[in-house]
Amino acid sequence: GINAEYGGIKMSHSSGIAVSENLRNAFGEALQTENIRLLKVQIQNETELNVTKSEKISGNFEQDFGKIVPLLEPNVATYILYRTDEKGISGYKWLILCYVPDKAKVREKMLYASTRANLKLQLGGANFHEDIFGTVPEDFSWSGYQKHVGMQKAEVPLTAQEITRKEEEESGGVYVGGGGAYVHGVTFPCDDSAIKNLKSLKDGDYNYIQLKIDTEKELIQGGEVGNVNVDELGSHVSAFEPQFHFYRWNHEFEGEDLASLVFIYSCPDGTNNTKPAPVKLRMLYSSSKANAEELAKKQGLEINAKLEVNTGVEITEEYLSHTCLLYTSPSPRDRQKSRM
């Protein structure tokens, strides 16, 4: 697996730079008033994310896109939070545009690369529809955006099937293509290597194991195993195919030492500059998640938290902390039932 790479620097953990009160308020106001088109956000003093410029809505999504390029400087990295005209469940959908020019300082590239997940998390991931990366201002012109959209469509040609898949997933099933076949959770048998991996995790031989699907044999098999530090975890995520990961994370919560078992489903889907895995493969993994969890439970493993990620760079210590916190009741011993 590979991590997101900026100027040859591999990033595998978050910088810990926090969203300032100024940014939190500005974004909150933008969500409420619905009259702000974009916020320019920059890392200041290497300690916090701040709004350095905001622009009101004056035209439609396309017309206002022209406001972006004038805000970008040749050697200075920046984020632009840009509001679309499309509404989701939690209001208007926003884009995170991450501009990291080749001529930016190496440290700046590292900071912007490792802070994006934090920015998204602290402002509420549900508000953001997509992340787009670029190294030259033209990447964020309207024609640059159209190229990006065109590439996304070219990479995922089965648009109608994707739509059907979403509808089916929302109603509890998964579309796998062809002949109107729907799979409401696939149960593939597993081979000895999968059981061996899960047992080695249960016995404490390893803190990290993978399970994978052999589509030809229609079997769940064991993948990579090892003892992995939390900041290396993202580097074990494939940028090309889905995977199931189980990670025993030793950490502290409210003064108590915990060993949380985190189940991670990773699936490159074409966003965040990944190449989407073949649709059939994505469908099979998506519909086998419950099966993978059940296999773990049968080996006596209790899953404490669950994540779904597109790339390894999303898996940071902060993200794990946040997720484990969501799944943890006031007392770490009294777990809520996990939901995915």
Side-chain angles (χ1 to χ4, degrees):
I2 59 168
N3 275 348
E5 199 166 306
Y6 291 76
I9 300 156
K10 288 190 175 176
M11 296 307 306
S12 60
H13 53 83
S14 173
S15 62
I17 289 170
V19 164
S20 67
E21 200 175 329
N22 156 23
L23 170 53
R24 203 181 295 278
N25 292 343
F27 189 66
E29 197 180 314
L31 293 179
Q32 279 181 331
T33 62
E34 300 190 344
N35 66 354
I36 301 293
R37 177 59 80 189
L38 68 83
L39 297 173
K40 180 178 180 178
V41 175
Q42 290 178 289
I43 296 171
Q44 294 188 327
N45 306 321
E46 297 191 2
T47 56
E48 62 176 12
L49 288 152
N50 236 321
V51 180
T52 54
K53 180 93 176 144
S54 76
E55 295 271 358
K56 289 196 168 175
I57 289 168
S58 57
N60 63 22
F61 176 70
E62 179 183 344
Q63 290 160 343
D64 283 351
F65 222 81
K67 296 175 186 282
I68 298 168
V69 171
L71 297 177
L72 305 178
E73 299 165 70
N75 307 335
V76 184
T78 190
Y79 302 111
I80 301 284
L81 308 183
Y82 189 88
R83 204 207 84 182
T84 71
D85 289 340
E86 194 182 333
K87 272 199 166 178
I89 297 165
S90 55
Y92 282 104
K93 294 178 178 180
W94 288 68
L95 303 174
I96 294 186
L97 311 179
C98 186
Y99 168 63
V100 182
D102 291 333
K103 289 180 180 173
K105 291 174 184 166
V106 171
R107 179 157 178 79
E108 195 172 289
K109 288 181 183 179
M110 288 176 71
L111 284 173
Y112 275 82
S114 58
T115 302
R116 181 192 54 82
N118 222 23
L119 169 65
K120 199 170 178 176
L121 191 67
Q122 292 188 42
L123 292 180
N127 294 308
F128 297 100
H129 169 55
E130 195 177 4
D131 304 16
I132 302 173
F133 298 87
T135 55
V136 292
E138 293 69 44
D139 289 339
F140 301 108
S141 64
W142 181 248
S143 63
Y145 177 69
Q146 288 304 302
K147 269 186 204 163
H148 167 79
V149 171
M151 276 168 63
Q152 298 282 61
K153 283 182 179 167
E155 284 177 341
V156 191
L158 300 167
T159 323
Q161 288 183 318
E162 290 285 67
I163 290 165
T164 315
R165 164 207 170 197
K166 275 185 181 168
E167 289 170 354
E168 263 303 289
E169 280 190 328
E170 281 162 11
S171 64
V174 176
Y175 180 68
V176 290
Y182 294 94
V183 181
H184 290 259
V186 174
T187 308
F188 285 144
C190 65
D191 71 3
D192 293 345
S193 66
I195 300 299
K196 189 180 168 190
N197 278 14
L198 290 164
K199 276 188 172 162
S200 69
L201 183 65
K202 174 83 167 72
D203 296 344
D205 301 334
Y206 302 108
N207 69 354
Y208 171 77
I209 66 131
Q210 282 178 12
L211 297 183
K212 57 186 183 180
I213 297 173
D214 183 323
T215 50
E216 284 182 22
K217 294 181 182 170
E218 298 198 336
L219 270 179
I220 292 182
Q221 297 180 323
E224 188 188 330
V225 297
N227 286 303
V228 176
N229 288 331
V230 66
D231 60 354
E232 296 167 359
L233 190 54
S235 65
H236 294 265
V237 173
S238 170
F240 311 106
E241 59 185 10
Q243 293 165 311
F244 297 127
H245 314 257
F246 292 86
Y247 183 61
R248 175 74 66 196
W249 182 40
N250 293 310
H251 61 113
E252 205 179 85
F253 177 76
E254 292 182 350
E256 197 167 335
D257 289 328
L258 294 181
S260 303
L261 181 59
V262 185
F263 173 55
I264 302 165
Y265 165 50
S266 63
C267 181
D269 60 7
T271 58
N272 293 350
N273 290 1
T274 59
K275 185 171 169 44
V279 171
K280 186 182 176 189
L281 201 58
R282 281 152 56 193
M283 299 304 94
L284 288 176
Y285 270 86
S286 177
S287 55
S288 297
K289 276 187 312 208
N291 193 13
E293 286 180 58
E294 195 54 40
L295 286 173
K297 284 175 189 167
K298 280 181 179 167
Q299 295 309 313
L301 290 161
E302 184 196 347
I303 294 165
N304 305 120
K306 302 177 202 176
L307 298 181
E308 286 196 24
V309 299
N310 176 41
T311 63
V313 80
E314 294 173 60
I315 305 173
T316 62
E317 192 163 358
E318 261 140 317
Y319 192 16
L320 287 181
S321 296
H322 184 77
T323 307
C324 285
L325 196 60
L326 290 177
Y327 281 92
T328 307
S329 301
S331 159
R333 292 190 197 85
D334 176 27
R335 300 274 173 209
Q336 285 181 355
K337 284 197 172 165
S338 305
R339 288 201 286 299
M340 196 176 232

